[in-house]
Amino acid sequence: MAESEEEVDVLVQRVVKDINNAFKKNPNIDEIGLIPCPEARYNRSPIVLVENKLGMESWCVKFLLPFVHNKLLLYRQRKQWLDREALIDITCTLLLLNPDFTTAWNVRKELAQCGVLNPERDLYLGKLVLTKFPKSPETWIHRRWVLQQVLRQCRPRAAEQKEPGEVELGGAQGSPPNERLRRVLRDEMKVCAEAAGRYPSNYNAWSHRIWVLQNLAKGNLKILYDELSSMKLWVSTHVSDHSGFHYRQFLMKALVAELSRATDASCGPSQDLHRSHWPNGDGVGPAAAEESRTASVPELFGKELELCTDLIETYPGHETLWCHRRHVFFLWYHWRKEQSQDVGRQPSLLNHTDETLSGSLGASAGRNVQAMDVDLALEESKQTSYTQDSKRLKRGPLQLRPGLPSEHSFVTKILSGCRSPEQGRFAAAYRKWLDSVIVAADTRDAKKWFSLI
Amino acid sequence: MKLYSLSVLYKGINKSNLLKAAYDLSSFSFFQRSSVQEFMTFTSALIVERSSTGTRSSIKEQEYLCHVYVRNDSLGGVVIADGEYPSRVCFTLLDKVLDEFSRQVDSIDWPSGSPATISYTALDSYLAKYQNPREADAMTKVQAELDETKIILHNTMESLLERGEKLDDLVQKSEHLGTQSKAFYKTARKQNSCCEVM
């Protein structure tokens, strides 16, 4: 069927209108898709709306896309004028077909800056696009631009903040929490999770998720903890999704940095509590809260290694799980070293755990020995009087405290029982890493690691 | 970690006969689901046809793993899963399902049966339950038993075919696939790229 230019023009106008009408008719469209359909059926629209799914028959794409693409370029070159409504409709159609056409997103940026287009409409359009193109880099990039506009709208007093990127979610100094930002944050987490489910190891989706937390929820302990806990099931059912585990590593680093930062601050009245909602609520006084935070870092690592152990044992032969273990243990190892370096500087109220451990070993103990003897130190402290400190140490089961000896015995256990050749290789490689990299890392600056957050 | 389909088939002399199937297509794009289901049926039937009785195999096709067990009495089962789902659990599931099926459905009905005539309703709930592999009972016990069982591994569907046979031809001739699916297969084969727009 040979089309003349007029026929194509008519067809394209009709399709663009049909798409626009579909959105008007059903504001709850939540997915787009291409319907494999090699030939047009006479006089039937290629746009199909079923339940909340918007489909386009594949035969029309080869007419539609070049035509609409060209139209936008002509507008951009000032050879053809398009009014605002037409621009919105055309860019929408274009992006549903080819979301990496940056020019279309940029036209929408201009429309948003003129005040003609609500930026949150682009959040909706982007969400739809991602159902078909979950990796699309330009979609994620534009999304971040939109979120920056939203942030700007929510924080008119941004210039007064000490630190750029600080969150308003908790409400700065007693002002009511920002409901719009909360909603936007929740929606972003959902969009990232869906995109991550649609494409394995979707790096773009996960790095966007990290960006959102860094820019919309910086330093918010409650959100970091919530994310860590809600992601547990996800990573357990996507055990070779490297990006998912990388997200957990980011959460761990952020939590550790935040918890350590809070400890480093003076132990006076909490200037910093507004930055981080402590999950236990208002009943916790500042000093006790600071203590709980320090004690909870080992628990955090212990639980993460426990999760890793569980997955490694249940699903043998997944390299991602072993990589995750390395990251977590490395982080733990350097946190321990940093803690032991800081012991002298900290007021004793805030650092019970470390005092007990390093105190019992004596100043002459080398760093290496000290780290490896974490488990040993616990044994010694058990024999001393049953003080408040040792009670706190015993709060969790002893195996929650990670250390080199427990790592080695884990590897031995895996190697003795495993039937999968890959699992055996990964376990042996991990042991080699423990022996070479961890010991070598002793001589490197631990602070340099944490500055990479 | 997903299971996409669970099917019970009868391996006849020349071709296999689909008796019952369950599908979980929730992770596929809405408009592709009917084609995907047809392809899974086509694949399951082909695999059973080309597998010898008394064998267990795992066939890799793109990002999917198809696990098949054809019993000595020609009753066969196929699970189509993703690459993460532990294959041992799939074989546990197949053993269980085929055992139960053979006790509930008379073998007289197998050679001529179809999903419409066969009354066995447990497949959907098995598929749903086993989406979480930890549901498999006595997983470690099965690990020990299956060690002795040989599982034949195939890296592609092609390795199941006869010399000179082409998958494209089988697709075109298949009665399990509608015209739309066959057209879809043609274009998908041509492109084979994740960044294609059309």
Side-chain angles (χ1 to χ4, degrees):
Chain A
M1 182 164 94
E3 271 82 22
S4 67
E5 251 205 63
E6 296 89 47
E7 282 174 343
V8 174
D9 195 10
V10 165
L11 168 72
V12 168
Q13 306 276 32
R14 185 185 168 183
V15 172
V16 173
K17 203 162 83 125
D18 286 347
I19 293 176
N20 192 33
N21 287 339
F23 281 114
K24 285 208 184 100
K25 200 160 112 183
N26 185 348
N28 295 319
I29 293 177
D30 60 14
E31 191 182 320
I32 59 166
L34 205 60
I35 302 170
C37 186
E39 269 163 36
R41 283 160 297 177
Y42 186 72
N43 221 22
R44 284 254 297 263
S45 173
I47 304 303
V48 173
L49 186 56
V50 177
E51 295 165 28
N52 290 329
K53 324 289 178 190
L54 181 66
M56 184 184 300
E57 291 178 350
S58 57
W59 62 265
C60 80
V61 177
K62 60 181 178 291
F63 299 114
L64 187 58
L65 184 56
F67 197 91
V68 184
H69 183 135
N70 199 43
K71 234 178 164 181
L72 192 69
L73 284 181
L74 286 175
Y75 163 78
R76 255 306 201 233
Q77 292 160 355
R78 299 180 195 279
K79 290 183 185 159
Q80 195 179 88
W81 171 251
L82 286 170
D83 66 43
R84 290 163 173 182
E85 283 310 308
L87 272 177
I88 292 177
D89 291 345
I90 281 185
T91 50
C92 177
T93 303
L94 259 173
L95 291 165
L96 289 174
L97 288 169
N98 181 12
D100 287 316
F101 184 32
T102 318
T103 305
W105 287 120
N106 287 344
V107 167
R108 289 181 83 93
K109 284 186 182 74
E110 288 170 6
L111 291 168
Q113 281 173 328
C114 290
V116 170
L117 181 63
N118 178 3
E120 289 204 35
R121 265 181 75 177
D122 278 8
L123 289 180
Y124 174 63
L125 179 61
K127 187 168 94 159
L128 273 187
V129 160
L130 291 168
T131 61
K132 184 161 168 251
F133 304 95
K135 291 188 299 175
S136 166
E138 292 302 320
T139 305
W140 292 108
I141 289 170
H142 183 77
R143 210 174 177 80
R144 290 191 273 278
W145 182 87
V146 170
L147 289 170
Q148 280 166 338
Q149 308 311 305
V150 170
L151 262 180
R152 227 169 264 144
Q153 287 173 5
C154 291
R155 288 195 285 120
R157 298 176 303 127
E160 295 170 33
Q161 299 289 344
K162 268 198 294 183
E163 283 173 48
E166 201 173 278
V167 69
E168 292 253 332
L169 277 179
Q173 262 93 19
S175 65
N178 195 321
E179 195 48 49
R180 185 183 181 203
L181 267 186
R182 272 192 217 277
R183 176 182 50 84
V184 166
L185 184 77
R186 266 198 315 267
D187 287 346
E188 284 313 293
M189 297 292 108
K190 209 160 145 249
V191 167
C192 291
E194 281 170 10
R198 289 204 164 88
Y199 192 83
S201 272
N202 190 340
Y203 178 76
N204 296 343
W206 290 104
S207 32
H208 180 80
R209 197 170 183 146
I210 290 175
W211 182 94
V212 169
L213 285 192
Q214 285 172 330
N215 288 271
L216 268 71
K218 192 169 175 69
N220 192 313
L221 269 180
K222 179 177 192 303
I223 286 182
L224 290 172
Y225 272 114
D226 284 348
E227 281 291 287
L228 200 65
S229 112
S230 68
M231 279 294 105
K232 201 165 157 181
L233 178 63
W234 202 95
V235 295
S236 305
T237 49
H238 296 82
V239 293
S240 59
D241 193 312
H242 203 100
S243 302
F245 282 99
H246 174 257
Y247 182 65
R248 281 191 89 78
Q249 290 149 28
F250 157 76
L251 291 172
M252 296 284 291
K253 278 188 209 149
L255 275 167
V256 168
E258 211 40 49
L259 294 170
S260 305
R261 214 188 62 88
T263 323
D264 284 349
S266 79
C267 54
S270 50
Q271 297 105 321
D272 282 325
L273 270 184
H274 83 272
R275 259 176 77 89
S276 41
H277 279 206
W278 186 242
N280 290 333
D282 317 74
V284 181
E290 303 289 352
E291 280 180 17
S292 317
R293 282 194 202 117
T294 324
S296 71
V297 170
E299 207 178 298
L300 187 72
F301 279 108
K303 284 204 176 121
E304 192 66 18
L305 281 174
E306 208 177 279
L307 170 68
C308 207
T309 299
D310 178 39
L311 293 176
I312 286 177
E313 287 175 346
T314 311
Y315 305 112
H318 284 279
E319 188 164 24
T320 308
L321 299 172
W322 289 96
C323 285
H324 185 61
R325 198 179 188 91
R326 286 185 202 203
H327 273 96
V328 175
F329 188 73
F330 195 58
L331 200 61
W332 157 253
Y333 194 77
H334 278 279
W335 181 81
R336 285 289 307 133
K337 264 182 46 186
E338 203 172 63
Q339 289 296 299
S340 62
Q341 281 167 354
D342 292 347
V343 149
R345 294 197 275 115
Q346 288 300 315
S348 57
L349 178 69
L350 295 176
N351 225 343
H352 276 133
T353 50
D354 289 301
E355 260 207 353
T356 320
L357 291 174
S358 49
S360 59
L361 285 175
S364 56
R367 273 196 218 150
N368 217 13
V369 177
Q370 183 178 62
M372 283 173 73
D373 285 352
V374 160
D375 296 350
L376 200 65
L378 273 174
E379 291 304 309
E380 283 182 44
S381 72
K382 263 204 277 190
Q383 280 138 31
T384 57
S385 61
Y386 209 74
T387 61
Q388 197 61 24
D389 306 314
S390 35
K391 262 199 208 153
R392 201 173 298 114
L393 281 174
K394 285 155 163 304
R395 195 175 288 145
L398 276 178
Q399 56 262 34
L400 275 188
R401 295 194 71 91
L404 269 177
S406 57
E407 286 309 285
H408 277 289
S409 56
F410 170 68
V411 172
T412 310
K413 180 174 166 222
I414 293 286
L415 282 173
S416 63
C418 90
R419 284 181 201 86
S420 145
E422 290 89 23
Q423 182 88 320
R425 272 194 292 119
F426 297 144
Y430 182 65
R431 176 192 276 161
K432 200 169 166 189
W433 178 81
L434 287 171
D435 292 337
S436 49
V437 176
I438 289 291
V439 168
D442 268 340
T443 58
R444 285 203 292 267
D445 185 6
K447 283 231 191 287
K448 192 170 160 207
W449 173 255
F450 276 104
S451 73
L452 292 174
I453 296 167
Chain B
M1 196 167 293
K2 271 213 74 87
L3 293 179
Y4 301 112
S5 79
L6 173 60
S7 329
V8 178
L9 305 100
Y10 175 74
K11 182 181 168 67
I13 314 265
N14 290 319
K15 57 194 253 342
S16 61
N17 192 24
L18 179 70
L19 297 174
K20 211 71 171 172
Y23 305 91
D24 183 340
L25 305 169
S26 53
S27 54
F28 292 97
S29 154
F30 179 81
F31 294 101
Q32 291 181 340
R33 283 174 196 171
S34 59
S35 281
V36 168
Q37 180 167 318
E38 287 179 2
F39 269 107
M40 293 196 167
T41 310
F42 164 77
T43 304
S44 304
L46 182 62
I47 288 177
V48 167
E49 266 164 44
R50 302 311 164 92
S51 299
S52 318
T53 51
T55 60
R56 287 181 177 83
S57 310
S58 294
I59 303 108
K60 187 164 154 47
E61 178 62 32
Q62 297 165 61
E63 64 266 35
Y64 307 103
L65 263 178
C66 311
H67 306 285
V68 58
Y69 173 34
V70 181
R71 305 188 340 170
N72 286 314
D73 58 3
S74 295
L75 190 65
V78 179
V79 170
I80 301 183
D82 72 358
E84 275 182 1
Y85 196 97
S87 57
R88 291 186 190 284
V89 180
C90 291
F91 287 109
T92 311
L93 175 59
L94 285 172
D95 279 352
K96 198 169 181 166
V97 164
L98 293 183
D99 183 56
E100 196 180 274
F101 186 91
S102 61
R103 282 184 282 112
Q104 285 184 22
V105 180
D106 207 311
S107 54
I108 290 281
D109 298 327
W110 298 350
S112 57
S114 76
T117 61
I118 298 284
S119 56
Y120 176 71
T121 52
L123 279 185
D124 284 299
S125 60
Y126 272 122
L127 189 65
K129 184 176 172 213
Y130 274 70
Q131 286 299 347
N132 178 357
R134 296 197 216 224
E135 284 297 313
D137 10 71
M139 207 166 105
T140 42
K141 181 163 150 259
V142 172
Q143 274 185 336
E145 286 168 12
L146 275 186
D147 254 338
E148 283 68 44
T149 318
K150 266 190 25 211
I151 297 172
I152 308 163
L153 295 170
H154 293 269
N155 269 325
T156 56
M157 282 286 289
E158 260 84 16
S159 61
L160 283 178
L161 305 181
E162 307 283 322
R163 200 133 78 97
E165 252 191 327
K166 292 256 163 51
L167 198 58
D168 294 3
D169 297 333
L170 292 174
V171 166
Q172 285 313 308
K173 285 189 286 180
S174 169
E175 60 198 29
H176 293 290
L177 300 169
T179 24
Q180 210 184 59
S181 299
K182 289 182 184 174
F184 179 40
Y185 175 83
K186 252 200 186 141
T187 43
R189 265 313 223 221
K190 256 196 280 171
Q191 291 157 20
N192 207 32
S193 154
C194 65
C195 304
E196 281 290 330
V197 172
M198 292 193 259

